[in-house]
Amino acid sequence: MLVDMLSGDEGKIFNDSHTKAAFMAAIGLMIHNFPEGIIMGAGFLANANLGIKMSMLIAIHDIPEGIAVSAPLMASRVKVSRILSYAFITAFPTLAGAGLGVYIGNISDVVLGECLGVASGIMLYVVFGQMLPESLRLWRGKTVTFSLLLGLILGLVITNVL
């Protein structure tokens, strides 16, 4: 609703539908990146190795997210420097979440476990309640299943081999 109001005739701030799509993706990713940061911060507190593994997995999964924000902006011929600025702003909640995860996780082991549990629950909801159904809606072929399996295998390799 807010995006539609901002793109209306009265206060048009979006040049085209590509810019609007990038803005919507950026807002969603900013909300999504906050619990990722909590997982990273609390993960490092629980065990440095866990923090490194979670950071690597999150970094790999953030690549398509960055593409989702930058591709529409590139299609709208936005300057590369502005695209990089928007990408940094979109990723900033990860840093804020990591700081909060470290701060709250330092209270006690019980609170640290709760932080990891809540952040993991949020991420599971995002993946199974939002991302997977949307990917299946966009593409009904076997590619989504193969991509899901590839991601699971990659995650297993990173967490068990490293």
Side-chain angles (χ1 to χ4, degrees), residues 24-77:
M24 291 173 60
I27 294 296
L29 291 174
M30 289 174 76
I31 294 167
H32 167 86
N33 286 341
F34 187 73
E36 287 181 352
I38 293 174
I39 289 172
M40 291 166 53
F44 273 106
L45 278 178
N47 180 327
N49 197 22
L50 176 63
I52 290 170
K53 290 175 184 178
M54 292 301 101
S55 297
M56 288 176 59
L57 289 171
I58 289 169
I60 290 168
H61 124 167
D62 282 347
I63 293 169
E65 291 178 0
I67 293 169
V69 173
S70 62
L73 294 173
M74 291 171 66
S76 294
R77 303 200 188 277

Side-chain angles (χ1 to χ4, degrees), residues 73-128:
L73 294 173
M74 291 171 66
S76 294
R77 303 200 188 277
V78 173
K79 293 180 186 177
V80 174
S81 60
R82 289 196 98 177
I83 294 172
L84 290 173
S85 298
Y86 296 148
F88 176 77
I89 291 167
T90 303
F92 184 75
T94 306
L95 180 61
L100 182 65
V102 169
Y103 178 75
I104 293 174
N106 270 321
I107 295 172
S108 74
D109 285 345
V110 172
V111 174
L112 176 59
E114 290 173 1
C115 279
L116 288 169
V118 167
S120 298
I122 291 170
M123 294 307 299
L124 285 172
Y125 168 73
V126 168
V127 170
F128 291 109

Side-chain angles (χ1 to χ4, degrees), residues 130-141:
Q130 302 293 317
M131 292 173 68
L132 190 55
E134 182 65 16
S135 66
L136 291 170
R137 186 188 68 75
L138 292 171
W139 185 260
R140 289 278 179 199

